[in-house]
Amino acid sequence: MRINGKRSGVLYILLFAFISGLVYLFLSILLNGGSWVIQPYNGHIYAEDATATTGKILDRNNNILAETVDGTRTYNSDLNVRSSLLHTVGDSSGYISTSVQSLLRGRLSGYNFITGLNKTPLTDIGFGDVTLTVDSDICSAAYQALSGKNGAVIMYNYLTGEILCKVSTPTYDPENVPSDLETNSAYEGVFVDNTISSTFTPGSTFKIITTICAIENFPDWDTRTYTCDGSLDIGADKITCLSTHGQIDIKTAFMYSCNCYYAQLAIDLGSERLQKTAEELGFNKNFAFNDLETAASTFNVLNAEDVNLGWAGIGQYTDLANPTHMMLIAGAIANSGTFVAPRITQTSIFNLGTDSSQKLMSSNIAQDLKTLMRNNVENYYGDDLFPGLQVCAKTGTAEVGNGKEPTSWMVGFSEDKSTPFAFAVCVVEGGSGLSTANIASTIMKMASDKYKT
Ligand SMILES: [Zn+2]
């Protein structure tokens, strides 16, 4: 009996191992089949006329952005829509690795666990279609407002996470791919989605972060004054301001974007505090929204001399910011300190955007920033830019040297929850910060007209 008992024990162990193996195999295919099927060795999916890629890509209003007709992939009929959404939708050659057409190739191919890649009634009724959150009219308008300049425009609903506008330039027409993409300098960096994968000198938009650091560390932050004489000598170096602002408080300094005020504030805060706040707000890290990962914004002042700390506090020195990250900071300020994770697809089961919401600052600090950013628009930039929207914003003009025009920014949101949109606009060689206000104004007004609740 004892021998039998041992034998059946061994049999049970073997049976257990066998069943575990089966379960593992089954689950692996179920969970990973979609990504295995799109591996490069399944070359037939990658052929340019791949009939396997049957799924349509639609915008939020069911406008067709890409579809396969008679075995050929075609794109929206409007050139501006096609060009504005190249980096979001993708092209037929797979040049844009962060596009939906690259990331969701498995889903678009109609792959499912039961039938694999074979066509089924499910694919015929649109099982392989993907509906995006973007509005193609707003993307087209943002692209046209960029007027041929390079940059990034991104806007989302800060309550739901839906990205309404996402445009990166330079771009090209995926329907008629230029033959000189690799050689013409006008297309330099064209395969990179600037909203997701690039960083730019933030200029004065970084004063949002320096302000948050002051609120966290100086109980007298809102009454503390510094004097601006138009320039500030630090040792043998000099930080310059656009104007001579005199003795001012933070509200006025933030509104006029006074460099002398913020450089002195940054130096008084010190490198450790500023570094800590910047990292709490997401600098020096990537944000991953499922398969999409943002380029990390960077901030490093721990070994910086005072003059460089001063420059860093006003968004110069080695500071770099990713446009989507800046939009998330705006979204967090709008949403009591916590941003809602952005997403680009509508359906939840194949969602590009599963990273959770994150708290970047306390709700009290968010409220203080909201008041300061609202004051900027109300009393300086002008509410006529955003009629009826109650926009809170900060502009930036980042010097980049090498004889180039500054990079210009505008980051903001509508504090009215019936128009819950947050945005970041960044234009390379865009000139003064307020010139980007025109782009921000265009997309915010369109979103408000179409989606005000
Ligand atoms: Zn000044």
Side-chain angles (χ1 to χ4, degrees):
M1 283 304 286
R2 281 186 61 218
I3 290 174
N4 275 351
K6 256 188 195 168
R7 215 176 266 163
S8 57
V10 169
L11 277 176
Y12 277 125
I13 290 168
L14 284 176
L15 187 66
F16 178 74
F18 179 70
I19 291 172
S20 302
L22 274 185
V23 168
Y24 177 75
L25 181 68
F26 180 83
L27 285 177
S28 295
I29 294 174
L30 186 65
L31 295 174
N32 299 320
S35 52
W36 290 342
V37 83
I38 60 165
Q39 291 302 310
Y41 45 74
N42 280 330
H44 60 287
I45 310 176
Y46 288 83
E48 233 171 85
D49 61 346
T51 48
T53 308
T54 51
K56 295 188 186 78
I57 299 177
L58 308 157
D59 85 343
R60 63 186 298 113
N61 299 313
N62 288 325
N63 294 307
I64 293 171
L65 303 178
E67 66 179 330
T68 300
V69 179
D70 299 330
T72 304
R73 200 71 172 154
T74 62
Y75 298 84
N76 188 277
S77 56
D78 184 296
L79 171 65
N80 287 322
V81 170
R82 292 200 298 271
S83 304
S84 69
L85 281 158
L86 168 75
H87 296 88
T88 302
V89 171
D91 70 344
S92 301
S93 306
Y95 283 137
I96 318 290
S97 61
T98 51
S99 68
V100 166
Q101 208 150 256
S102 292
L103 294 172
L104 291 184
R105 201 173 273 267
R107 162 129 166 81
L108 286 162
S109 70
Y111 171 84
N112 74 64
F113 176 58
I114 309 296
T115 62
L117 271 175
N118 297 324
K119 259 176 97 70
T120 66
L122 282 176
T123 43
D124 289 338
I125 60 167
F127 179 77
D129 295 348
V130 171
T131 305
L132 304 185
T133 58
V134 292
D135 180 301
S136 56
D137 293 336
I138 300 179
C139 293
S140 172
Y143 169 63
Q144 291 174 74
L146 276 159
S147 312
K149 295 206 169 188
N150 294 344
V153 181
I154 185 154
M155 173 178 67
Y156 91 142
N157 180 319
Y158 61 74
L159 297 178
T160 65
E162 293 168 306
I163 295 175
L164 291 167
C165 178
K166 179 169 156 302
V167 176
S168 174
T169 47
T171 183
Y172 59 86
D173 177 6
E175 193 77 57
N176 303 289
V177 179
S179 57
D180 57 348
L181 267 187
E182 313 269 1
T183 52
N184 186 338
S185 64
Y187 294 119
E188 203 181 317
V190 75
F191 302 137
V192 176
D193 183 339
N194 283 329
T195 63
I196 300 290
S197 311
S198 298
T199 56
F200 303 90
T201 307
S204 297
T205 55
F206 191 84
K207 286 171 183 158
I208 294 172
I209 288 87
T210 308
T211 303
I212 291 173
C213 187
I215 299 172
E216 283 176 339
N217 292 288
F218 291 157
D220 69 338
W221 67 273
D222 58 340
T223 53
R224 173 181 284 254
T225 60
Y226 292 100
T227 301
C228 167
D229 296 321
S231 69
L232 177 70
D233 291 318
I234 302 169
D237 296 301
K238 189 184 283 252
I239 284 175
T240 52
C241 196
L242 285 172
S243 185
T244 303
H245 294 112
Q247 189 184 4
I248 49 174
D249 63 9
I250 201 166
K251 185 177 169 186
T252 308
F254 193 64
M255 180 169 72
Y256 293 132
S257 212
C258 176
N259 287 344
C260 294
Y261 184 100
Y262 271 88
Q264 292 173 87
L265 179 63
I267 291 166
D268 284 353
L269 282 165
S271 57
E272 284 181 16
R273 287 168 172 163
L274 210 49
Q275 186 75 32
K276 182 168 176 281
T277 300
E279 293 188 356
E280 281 166 4
L281 289 166
F283 278 76
N284 300 334
K285 77 170 214 184
N286 310 94
F287 289 92
F289 303 108
N290 204 339
D291 290 328
L292 275 180
E293 189 175 76
T294 61
S297 300
T298 55
F299 186 77
N300 293 295
V301 292
L302 288 182
N303 298 308
E305 294 169 26
D306 270 2
V307 67
N308 289 332
L309 181 58
W311 280 118
I314 59 177
Q316 297 287 154
Y317 188 46
T318 57
D319 303 2
L320 290 170
N322 167 262
T324 297
H325 176 212
M326 294 306 276
M327 178 191 76
L328 295 180
I329 291 176
I333 294 169
N335 199 39
S336 305
T338 301
F339 73 74
V340 173
R343 60 196 174 92
I344 196 76
T345 53
Q346 292 280 17
T347 46
S348 57
I349 186 166
F350 291 101
N351 207 351
L352 275 184
T354 52
D355 206 353
S356 56
S357 305
Q358 289 179 37
K359 192 171 186 67
L360 295 185
M361 68 198 82
S362 73
S363 58
N364 286 343
I365 288 179
Q367 184 54 50
D368 288 334
L369 257 292
K370 198 186 273 190
T371 305
L372 289 171
M373 290 170 79
R374 179 76 193 112
N375 179 61
N376 290 351
V377 181
E378 232 177 341
N379 295 313
Y380 190 43
Y381 312 152
D383 265 332
D384 49 347
L385 279 170
F386 308 101
L389 271 163
Q390 291 184 309
V391 167
C392 309
K394 182 75 193 85
T395 56
T397 309
E399 301 297 335
V400 291
N402 297 328
K404 287 188 175 167
E405 282 280 296
T407 300
S408 63
W409 284 84
M410 192 175 211
V411 174
F413 58 90
S414 165
E415 68 171 347
D416 182 347
K417 294 280 164 72
S418 68
T419 49
F421 313 117
F423 63 86
V425 178
C426 174
V427 185
V428 176
E429 297 210 60
S432 95
L434 272 175
S435 69
T436 56
N438 173 43
I439 302 170
S441 167
T442 301
I443 59 174
M444 287 293 279
K445 277 195 284 200
M446 280 184 84
S448 167
D449 288 346
K450 293 181 91 161
Y451 303 114
K452 188 179 172 78
T453 54

